[in-house]
Amino acid sequence: MNKPLVLVVEDDTPVRNLITTTLKTHEYRYLSAQNGASAVMEALSHNPDIVLLDLGLPDMDGAEIIQKIRSWSNMPIIVISARTEDSDKIGALDAGADDYLTKPFSVDELLARLRVTQRRLALIKADTAKETPIFTNGALKIDYAAGCAYLDGAELHLTPIEYKLLCLLSKNVGKVLTHTYITQQIWGSSWENDIASLRVFMATLRKKLENGKDGQQYIQTHIGIGYRMLRVE
């Protein structure tokens, strides 16, 4: 199976070299760009499978680049940001990014994020080829048509909001969803009390999901950002 083509958008030469060397060592195909304008051109010309996007580019805001790419493609975008840029990370995720990697990061962490994204790409392709009303992830099964969820074969007793949250996360498995995105999808608004309610519902949903035989974690919290459903092997 061919490794995916990765577009690396990073203006910091040492960081860009670290990423491209890592990709080359692990036999990934890659392209690189040092600013937003060339990134958009490379994405248009070569249609990469994954984009690694630094938010701190000299000529264009990271969210603007994401919006431009999203106008024609759903290619996975992993944003790269400094620790102090939480608001920028949230803005990028809300603009359509799929994940984020915080500087400084290790080679192992970069490769792990790429593997997660590859699995998500494979799932998207499989779902496109075969639309199914049943979602399975480890011991978790969701029957969208029947409006029921099961863990280890036993029906989960979920409130309507918990079920909607579970469906939203499952349909974006592997992707970080921000508090704003989730509350907009569930309640149609994103006030502070909506986010407080979300935390309560997520805590009760997680508790129900972790009652399985293997105690598997299905929902990952990204503090200050949002939540992600993990793909269980």
Side-chain angles (χ1 to χ4, degrees), residues 79-143:
V79 298
I80 301 170
S81 65
R83 288 188 186 280
T84 55
E85 296 175 334
D86 264 11
S87 61
D88 289 341
K89 285 189 286 194
I90 292 168
L93 289 164
D94 278 336
D98 295 82
D99 200 356
Y100 65 89
L101 193 59
T102 302
K103 293 179 182 177
F105 55 84
S106 68
V107 166
D108 287 343
E109 187 179 7
L110 170 63
L111 291 169
R113 295 304 173 88
L114 287 170
R115 285 194 297 271
V116 166
T117 305
Q118 278 179 261
R119 286 198 292 270
R120 188 161 179 269
L121 270 174
L123 282 168
I124 289 168
K125 286 173 183 173
D127 286 346
T128 302
K130 185 186 72 173
E131 287 294 330
T132 174
I134 305 289
F135 170 84
T136 55
N137 186 18
L140 175 66
K141 183 174 88 169
I142 306 170
D143 185 334

Side-chain angles (χ1 to χ4, degrees), residues 218-232:
Y218 287 94
I219 299 172
Q220 183 181 60
T221 300
H222 290 251
I223 296 170
I225 306 290
Y227 302 92
R228 179 210 314 254
M229 176 171 281
L230 300 171
R231 170 56 73 175
V232 177

Side-chain angles (χ1 to χ4, degrees), residues 8-119:
V8 180
V9 187
E10 172 62 74
D11 66 322
D12 185 321
T13 302
V15 176
R16 189 174 65 252
N17 288 344
L18 168 68
I19 295 171
T20 55
T21 301
T22 299
L23 293 173
K24 187 175 181 180
T25 302
H26 290 83
E27 301 181 337
Y28 283 89
R29 297 173 297 138
Y30 67 87
L31 304 159
S32 63
Q34 299 179 39
N35 57 55
S38 59
V40 172
M41 286 305 300
E42 292 285 1
L44 269 169
S45 304
H46 298 282
N47 195 31
D49 297 299
I50 301 170
V51 179
L52 291 172
L53 173 65
D54 175 29
L55 290 181
L57 296 172
D59 64 330
M60 202 180 291
D61 180 68
E64 185 184 347
I65 298 170
I66 295 165
Q67 286 164 357
K68 284 180 184 293
I69 292 175
R70 283 289 169 263
S71 69
W72 83 84
S73 174
N74 284 321
M75 63 181 70
I77 300 172
I78 302 173
V79 298
I80 301 170
S81 65
R83 288 188 186 280
T84 55
E85 296 175 334
D86 264 11
S87 61
D88 289 341
K89 285 189 286 194
I90 292 168
L93 289 164
D94 278 336
D98 295 82
D99 200 356
Y100 65 89
L101 193 59
T102 302
K103 293 179 182 177
F105 55 84
S106 68
V107 166
D108 287 343
E109 187 179 7
L110 170 63
L111 291 169
R113 295 304 173 88
L114 287 170
R115 285 194 297 271
V116 166
T117 305
Q118 278 179 261
R119 286 198 292 270

Side-chain angles (χ1 to χ4, degrees), residues 138-173:
L140 175 66
K141 183 174 88 169
I142 306 170
D143 185 334
Y144 297 127
C148 298
Y150 305 85
L151 190 66
D152 294 317
E155 186 173 352
L156 285 166
H157 298 289
L158 303 175
T159 67
I161 293 290
E162 288 169 349
Y163 180 73
K164 284 176 75 175
L165 286 169
L166 184 62
C167 289
L168 182 63
L169 290 164
S170 68
K171 288 174 181 177
N172 293 277
V173 66

